[in-house]
Amino acid sequence: MGSSIHRSEGYPHATTTKLDIVIIGASLGGLATALALKRLPSPHAHSITLLERNPKPVLDNQGAGIVAGGDTLAFFKKYDRCGRELAVSSVRRQYLDKNGDIIHKEDMKQNMTSWDLAYYMLRANVDGLESAYCDVPNTIDGNSQVKHLHGHRFTGLWKQESNRGRLVVEYQTSDNVKGSVEADLVIGADGPSSTIRDIFSPGVDRKYAGYVALRGTVREDSVTPKTLEAFKERFTFFHCAGVQILAYLIPGKDGTLEPGKRFINFVYYKNTKPRSLADKSAEFRELMTDVDGKYHRITLPPGKINPVAWKKQCDIARQVLPPQFAELMCSTDKPFVQAITDVISPTNEFLDGRVILIGDALAGFRPHTVASTSQACFDAMILADMIEGTVGRLEWKRQTLGYARTIQARGVSMGERSQHEDLPLSEHIQDRNLASRPRQDETWPHWAIADLD
C-alpha cells in the first residue's frame, strides 16, 4: 500500500470530513474495521457506531481455531496496543496415513490463533473491554470515537434526498424497540448471511457445498504422548475419499500460550447428503439438531450437539481416521458443526460508495483457504487507507474484489477436489501449498478484475 496522498477519486476516498460511520456486525470483521478507522491519524476524527444483533454485550466463544495469515499478523502488528502475542507457531506441515504414520512432511512456519483471543484483543482496542485475555491499552491513537451497541438488529436502510444524501440506518433492539441512526458511510460486516447484502443483491444466497465441518478442541496435556507428538508445533492432515481432517495447536483458556495449557484444534470435513440446505437428509438433520431438539440451519454451536449423534460420529471416526485424529474427535467435550457454504456478492459498494461490504459479507470463503480472517483484516486495512487517501479508490476496489473473487473460487475448487474427487496425496499437497501463498505474491486473474478497469 502506498504512502502518498491521492486526490479524491470519489466518495469516500481521501476525505478529511468528519464522517458518521455505521458498521453492521461486531464480530471479527466489524471490530477490525472499527479499529482500523479508529486509528486513522489527524485530521481524521470520525464517529463510529457498531450495531451488533446479538443481545449479549460480549459474543460467545466460537470455539474455533484460526490460521493467522500474513494480513492477520500485519493487522495486529499495525493496530494492536495490548502488548501480547497473538499466535502459536507451527514449524512443520505433515500428512498421516490411516495407521497414523507420517507419509509426507515439509518445514513451513505458520501461525495459529483462536477466535476468542482475536475477539477479546480487538474489543480491548476498540472499546476498552476488560478481560483475562489481555490488558486494555492505555494509549490513545487517533481522534475517532467508537460506540458498541449490542442487541441492535439491522432492519433497513434508505438514502435521504436532502441532508447531503445521508443514509438512515434502521434497527430493532432485543427489547423490540425500533430506532434509527444517520450515517455518511455504512459498512456491512455482518457475515456470509449478510442482511445488508440482501438489500442490494437479493438474489445472492448461501449455497450448501454438500459437506460439513465437525470441529472441536482438546487441551494438549490431556491426550496421549503419541497424539501430542503428531500435533505439537505441527500442522497435520489426513485425506481419504470424501474425508479431510486437520489439526493444530492454538492458544488455550483465556488466550494462554503456556505449553501444556494450549488447545489442539481439529477440523473434520465430512460429506453429507443432500447438496442443498433446502433438502434436509436424515444424516444432516441429525447432525444439526441440538440436544434440546432445535434444528440449526448453518451452525450448531459448541457444546449443543446431541450426544447420541456425536457418539455415532466418533464410532465412524475410529474406523476411518488415523488413531491420533480419532482420539481428538472422541476427547473433545464441546464439539460443534458447521455446514460448508458458498456465497459471493457481485460487488462490494453500493449507493456511490456510501455502502461497502467487507469480509464474509462480501465473499464467504470455504475454510480450506484459511483466509477468512485475513480477508477481513485486509479489507479493514485497505479501507482505512482508501479513506485516508494513501490508496486510490480504483486500486482499493481492484484489490478487494480481486482477492474476494480469486480466493472464493479457489476455495470452491479445493473443497470439490478434496471432498468429491479421489485424488493422490500430491494433489492435496499442491492445493494446500497454493492456499498458503501470501496475498502479496498473488496476481489476480483477468476474469477477477476485468470489469473494474
Side-chain angles (χ1 to χ4, degrees):
M1 300 178 197
S3 58
S4 61
I5 302 296
H6 295 248
R7 295 181 62 185
S8 179
E9 299 172 1
Y11 188 85
H13 175 250
T15 179
T16 56
T17 303
K18 179 180 178 180
L19 301 177
D20 290 322
I21 301 171
V22 173
I23 301 173
I24 311 300
S27 188
L28 300 190
L31 291 171
T33 304
L35 180 55
L37 297 177
K38 177 183 177 180
R39 295 275 191 255
L40 282 172
S42 182
H44 292 273
H46 306 301
S47 175
I48 304 164
T49 301
L50 285 152
L51 297 183
E52 169 54 49
R53 67 181 180 179
N54 196 303
K56 297 181 180 179
V58 178
L59 296 184
D60 289 334
N61 184 356
Q62 301 296 301
I66 295 172
V67 176
D71 285 310
T72 302
L73 296 176
F75 177 92
F76 278 89
K77 182 178 180 180
K78 183 174 183 179
Y79 299 116
D80 171 52
R81 305 291 184 267
C82 291
R84 63 149 296 161
E85 293 294 321
L86 172 70
V88 176
S89 292
S90 165
V91 297
R92 178 194 292 173
R93 184 180 291 168
Q94 62 187 21
Y95 297 78
L96 305 183
D97 63 13
K98 172 65 171 59
N99 295 322
D101 297 322
I102 298 171
I103 53 175
H104 178 82
K105 62 183 179 181
E106 50 192 84
D107 293 336
M108 180 179 295
K109 183 177 180 179
Q110 290 188 268
N111 296 283
M112 285 71 172
T113 189
S114 61
W115 182 94
D116 54 309
L117 177 56
Y119 175 81
Y120 280 99
M121 289 178 69
L122 287 169
R123 285 294 302 270
N125 282 281
V126 169
D127 63 323
L129 178 70
E130 296 182 351
S131 74
Y133 286 81
C134 60
D135 295 329
V136 174
N138 55 18
T139 58
I140 300 176
D141 293 344
N143 300 308
S144 297
Q145 300 297 315
V146 180
K147 184 187 301 182
H148 184 287
L149 301 178
H150 61 276
H152 284 61
R153 180 173 60 87
F154 168 74
T155 57
L157 176 150
W158 53 277
K159 182 179 179 181
Q160 301 178 76
E161 295 302 323
S162 57
N163 197 15
R164 296 180 287 113
R166 279 163 60 89
L167 305 177
V168 176
V169 180
E170 298 174 330
Y171 60 81
Q172 182 171 323
T173 72
S174 51
D175 297 324
N176 294 319
V177 176
K178 294 182 179 180
S180 64
V181 59
E182 291 191 4
D184 301 296
L185 176 64
V186 175
I187 299 165
D190 50 344
S193 296
S194 172
T195 302
I196 194 165
R197 186 190 64 231
D198 286 347
I199 292 175
F200 295 98
S201 298
V204 176
D205 297 315
R206 296 178 75 172
K207 293 180 172 57
Y208 180 52
Y211 58 103
V212 298
L214 310 180
R215 307 189 63 169
T217 59
V218 180
R219 193 162 132 154
E220 64 177 316
D221 62 359
S222 69
V223 300
T224 60
K226 181 179 180 181
T227 293
L228 180 58
E229 177 63 26
F231 305 117
K232 188 176 182 180
E233 280 77 53
R234 306 286 187 265
F235 194 177
T236 305
F237 298 82
F238 170 72
H239 287 268
C240 67
V243 167
Q244 178 192 169
I245 188 168
L246 57 92
Y248 49 83
L249 282 175
I250 63 172
K253 185 178 184 295
D254 295 333
T256 182
L257 302 181
E258 182 181 342
K261 296 183 179 180
R262 300 168 297 186
F263 292 136
I264 305 172
N265 173 80
F266 70 84
V267 185
Y268 174 23
Y269 300 106
K270 182 178 185 296
N271 290 356
T272 63
K273 297 178 180 180
R275 298 193 65 176
S276 167
L277 288 172
D279 181 14
K280 307 173 185 70
S281 70
E283 181 184 22
F284 186 84
R285 176 169 285 280
E286 181 181 53
L287 277 171
M288 304 302 284
T289 300
D290 68 24
V291 67
D292 300 316
K294 180 181 178 181
Y295 175 74
H296 299 260
R297 183 170 175 265
I298 302 289
T299 301
L300 190 149
K304 296 294 289 184
I305 196 166
N306 188 315
V308 175
W310 189 250
K311 182 180 183 303
K312 185 181 296 186
Q313 295 304 318
C314 287
D315 290 342
I316 295 171
R318 292 188 184 97
Q319 298 173 24
V320 302
L321 299 180
Q324 300 98 318
F325 279 113
E327 181 181 340
L328 292 185
M329 272 277 296
C330 301
S331 299
T332 186
D333 59 353
K334 290 186 177 180
F336 64 105
V337 187
Q338 294 175 318
I340 304 302
T341 62
D342 298 313
V343 67
I344 184 167
S345 173
T347 186
N348 60 346
E349 62 172 341
F350 307 93
L351 298 182
D352 298 321
R354 293 182 179 275
V355 176
I356 289 172
L357 301 180
I358 68 102
D360 289 341
L362 168 59
F365 297 162
R366 294 198 194 183
H368 313 282
T369 64
V370 296
S372 291
T373 304
S374 282
Q375 178 191 213
C377 288
F378 174 67
D379 285 354
M381 287 190 290
I382 197 170
L383 175 61
D385 289 343
M386 188 264 283
I387 291 175
E388 186 180 5
T390 57
V391 168
R393 192 169 185 272
L394 177 59
E395 181 65 9
W396 161 77
K397 190 156 188 173
R398 285 171 59 91
Q399 290 301 322
T400 51
L401 283 180
Y403 188 9
R405 293 169 176 176
T406 302
I407 306 304
Q408 195 273 341
R410 181 178 296 167
V412 172
S413 174
M414 289 181 67
E416 293 303 296
R417 285 163 57 82
S418 171
Q419 300 304 125
H420 302 297
E421 298 181 29
D422 190 6
L423 301 175
L425 179 61
S426 60
E427 295 285 311
H428 295 303
I429 294 171
Q430 177 181 308
D431 283 353
R432 178 56 51 193
N433 289 344
L434 179 61
S436 299
R437 187 161 65 190
R439 175 189 52 78
Q440 293 87 342
D441 294 344
E442 297 277 5
T443 299
W444 308 133
H446 178 72
W447 63 262
I449 56 175
D451 62 326
L452 306 179
D453 293 330

